[in-house]
Amino acid sequence: MLSWALGFFIVAIIAALFGFGGIADAAAGIAQFLFWIFVILFVGSLIIGILTGRKVFK
């Protein structure tokens, strides 16, 4: 999911450089949305991992 956010961010930068403001805004909004979803899922996974007490590494 983070790679998708990075991809949309790159599309937004390229679109902004060529003057496509609407496309750049849309791509940046999608990238920001995907990034925050990734952060929320990552933190949720960390919390669940801590609460269950499962050890990943020995």
Side-chain angles (χ1 to χ4, degrees):
M1 186 177 301
L2 194 56
S3 63
W4 278 87
L6 183 62
F8 276 107
F9 178 67
I10 291 170
V11 168
I13 290 175
I14 293 171
L17 287 175
F18 287 115
F20 297 107
I23 295 172
D25 287 340
I30 293 170
Q32 187 176 15
F33 175 75
L34 289 175
F35 173 76
W36 285 114
I37 294 296
F38 169 79
V39 169
I40 290 169
L41 291 175
F42 178 72
V43 170
S45 296
L46 284 177
I47 291 171
I48 289 173
I50 290 171
L51 291 177
T52 58
R54 293 180 54 192
K55 292 188 177 185
V56 178
F57 301 108
K58 291 184 179 185

